[in-house]
């Protein structure tokens, strides 16, 4: 399991980001909504997010440098990639799966208020 995680952690956020956009837009959602989710989760803003995309920051550093993980992340529950997000022990993997789960909810047509746990 460890080697698998390391591979994921070293993946560039910029490499995965277009896939998130594609997944959202394919379901009639927007890049702006996707970005709002990312801002909510990480505390980044448009400028700082773009810097990470430009620098091809890996997931490990993307989350390590996040200004503030949203205090409501504990409200993100459910299964993603066969794992319950609330039960994932590796902190970094859990943050990555939180993001996956939120993108999934966006693509499934969930209201932004619900996705952002308001």
């Amino acid at each position: 399991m460890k080697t698998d995680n390391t591979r994921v952690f070293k993946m560039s956020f910029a490499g995965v980001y277009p896939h998130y956009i594609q997944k959202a837009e394919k379901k009639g959602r927007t890049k702006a909504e996707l970005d709002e989710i990312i801002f909510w989760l990480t505390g980044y803003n448009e400028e700082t997010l773009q810097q990470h995309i430009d620098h091809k920051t890996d997931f490990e550093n993307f989350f390590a440098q996040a200004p503030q993980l949203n205090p409501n992340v504990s409200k993100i529950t459910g299964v993603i990639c066969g794992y319950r997000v609330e039960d994932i022990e590796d902190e970094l993997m859990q943050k990555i799966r939180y993001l996956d789960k939120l993108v999934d909810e966006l693509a499934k047509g969930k209201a932004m208020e619900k996705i952002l746990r308001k």
Side-chain angles (χ1 to χ4, degrees):
M1 187 75 175
K2 186 72 187 134
T3 52
D4 182 44
N5 283 0
T6 308
R7 190 177 61 82
V8 172
F9 298 164
K10 294 300 173 198
M11 280 171 58
S12 154
F13 174 79
V16 179
Y17 183 64
H19 297 286
Y20 289 150
I21 295 170
Q22 197 175 21
K23 185 173 184 171
E25 288 181 342
K26 206 164 66 178
K27 300 290 186 172
R29 303 307 286 258
T30 65
K31 177 184 175 294
E33 287 175 308
L34 171 66
D35 288 350
E36 188 180 340
I37 287 170
I38 295 169
F39 302 158
W40 176 87
L41 179 64
T42 61
Y44 286 122
N45 59 33
E46 214 168 310
E47 187 183 330
T48 52
L49 178 65
Q50 192 56 54
Q51 286 169 354
H52 284 287
I53 292 166
D54 294 344
H55 294 123
K56 300 198 180 342
T57 307
D58 62 24
F59 270 107
E60 191 169 7
N61 286 299
F62 180 78
F63 281 107
Q65 295 167 21
Q68 186 191 352
L69 203 64
N70 194 293
N72 285 329
V73 292
S74 60
K75 294 181 180 176
I76 303 170
T77 57
V79 177
I80 187 82
C81 302
Y83 297 97
R84 285 213 141 271
V85 282
E86 59 271 33
D87 294 342
I88 296 172
E89 285 179 16
D90 185 289
E91 205 178 309
L92 178 56
M93 183 53 86
Q94 188 177 45
K95 291 173 185 172
I96 293 169
R97 294 302 181 210
Y98 280 152
L99 181 55
D100 288 342
K101 182 77 179 150
L102 295 175
V103 172
D104 237 34
E105 290 177 0
L106 181 69
K108 285 185 175 145
K110 234 185 178 184
M112 284 301 281
E113 271 200 359
K114 286 210 167 91
I115 296 171
L116 303 181
R117 305 318 195 247
K118 289 186 176 162

